Amino acid sequence: MPPKSTPPAIPPSRPGASNDPSRQNALLRAFGWLFGLAGAAAAVLAMVIGIAMAVAFPNLPDVSELSDYRPILPLRVFSVEGILLGEFGEERRNLTPLKSIPKVMTDAVLAIEDSRFYEHGGVDYKGMLRAGLANLGNMKSQGASTITMQVARNVYLSSEKTYTRKIYEVLLTFKLEHLLTKDQILEIYMNQIFLGQRAYGFAAASEAYFDKPLKDVSIAEAAMLAGLPKAPAANNPIRNPKRARSRQLYIIDRMVENQFITSAQAEAAKKEPLKLKTGQDVLRIHAEYVAETVRQLMFAQYGNETYTRGLNVYTTVKAADQDAAYKALRRGIMDFERRQIYRGPEKFITLPSGQQELDDAIDDALDEHPDNGDVLSAVVLQADAKSIRAIRQNSEPVEITGEGLKAAQSGLSDKAPPNIKIRRGAVAF
């Protein structure tokens, strides 16, 4: 008779473990209580949010006017040929339909601001999660505001960071997505957003930064412009070229990631030198007195609406004749000025020892004293009887020697009075 099989040994209980049914039931009740509490808290939170939205919704502005988008537009004065002579208004904007905005510009904007714009319903939950993970992981900081949310904020709301404003922003976003098509929302964004240099919208920004129409921008230029909405001052390529360059390179990489451009196009764009517009409001044709006369006549008829309703005035002035007259007058004045005794620098500034503080002081001084046509401004770093070493905006060095010193020779003399003496910190033309 075969031996009886031995039943398998029961492993010993882990320390602290208990097979007491009453304890197991107590644990289950505790977990149930915790889950119930969490559910109740979620329900209360949802109810509070629902009440807040119910209270806020009736107070939302009417967004139907955006279906016929009419932004603030400046007064523009043109020659008989249609060449711009002058512009008056706080917001420099060229209203441009979406179909007239080059694809490379919209691709650059979508790549950095809202790559899933045509997929989400106004609030990009996946984008919010991605941005949160990126920020927690110390990667490059990412925002979670969609283009529609930015339109709601820029058109109707203030820039204050409060929960109330955020609720209004989300509700307005849903209203805009319900009322307008995606293309309409994107068109408003491309024309409404502030981009520095008094430019609103990318068409005006292209003129302000590159002195060229938007239709002609390259990938490199589009990426530079697309970096402006997040921080127009900090990413300004004229005032802060290093930071603007870093932002541009990141956007080019994002365009590759979203398959808007190829790797070869990206490499070419990264190597492309950018020719930025220098000076402030440099006009191709100088007709300031004509433009001012038109402004006065328009203001007498339309009042303050002169600067907001987008009036275009065409004069009988011929651009070629006006340009010839201006150059002749300027040439005579400059010849007369050279025959006079040197009048001295425009002002004197203290130059800090730190490089960043030095750059900021020079930029501020030259912003107050911009170039005047072919008369260029600079800050003197070192001067003696034989040479002047100076610096212009964007850290462009200048050295003047020989005949170039003739007009300012009296300012280089050891006997020159303090207000005439050309020395370190002088702001001169």
Side-chain angles (χ1 to χ4, degrees), residues 74-262:
L75 165 69
R76 292 189 177 94
V77 183
F78 297 90
S79 70
V80 69
E81 303 95 340
I83 296 175
L84 183 66
L85 301 179
E87 189 175 44
F88 302 92
E90 292 184 7
E91 298 184 8
R92 181 189 298 158
R93 179 184 282 111
N94 299 327
L95 184 59
T96 307
L98 186 62
K99 63 182 180 182
S100 299
I101 298 175
K103 186 174 184 296
V104 66
M105 188 68 253
T106 54
D107 284 347
V109 170
L110 291 174
I112 190 61
E113 292 295 332
D114 192 354
S115 60
R116 298 185 65 253
F117 173 70
Y118 282 99
E119 300 172 24
H120 61 67
V123 177
D124 186 5
Y125 303 104
K126 290 183 179 179
M128 292 173 66
L129 179 61
R130 183 185 65 248
L133 292 174
N135 296 337
L136 287 174
N138 293 324
M139 298 169 61
K140 186 178 287 289
S141 178
Q142 297 183 14
S145 290
T146 65
I147 282 178
T148 312
M149 294 168 74
Q150 292 182 58
V151 168
R153 180 167 65 247
N154 290 325
V155 176
Y156 294 107
L157 303 173
S158 67
S159 58
E160 63 175 345
K161 295 183 178 181
T162 64
Y163 290 113
T164 302
R165 195 222 68 187
K166 198 65 179 178
I167 291 174
Y168 276 97
E169 181 180 310
V170 172
L171 292 176
L172 280 171
T173 295
F174 291 143
K175 288 190 72 172
L176 288 173
E177 288 278 344
H178 177 73
L179 177 69
L180 306 176
T181 66
K182 286 288 189 178
D183 283 351
Q184 285 178 307
I185 293 170
L186 185 58
E187 180 178 301
I188 294 170
Y189 179 85
M190 300 296 287
N191 284 281
Q192 181 72 21
I193 194 76
F194 175 64
L195 300 170
Q197 301 291 100
R198 286 182 51 235
Y200 288 77
F202 289 93
S206 179
E207 295 282 355
Y209 290 102
F210 300 117
D211 198 21
K212 65 194 304 184
L214 185 61
K215 65 182 179 63
D216 295 334
V217 296
S218 64
I219 293 174
E221 291 165 338
M224 183 66 79
L225 293 175
L228 293 167
K230 182 177 181 180
N235 294 330
N236 185 319
I238 296 175
R239 294 183 58 87
N240 199 344
K242 290 183 180 179
R243 180 163 178 171
R245 170 67 171 167
S246 175
R247 181 76 171 163
Q248 177 208 29
L249 295 178
Y250 176 62
I251 292 173
I252 292 174
D253 289 338
R254 289 282 298 160
M255 293 178 74
V256 175
E257 291 175 19
N258 286 278
Q259 299 181 350
F260 291 139
I261 59 175
T262 65

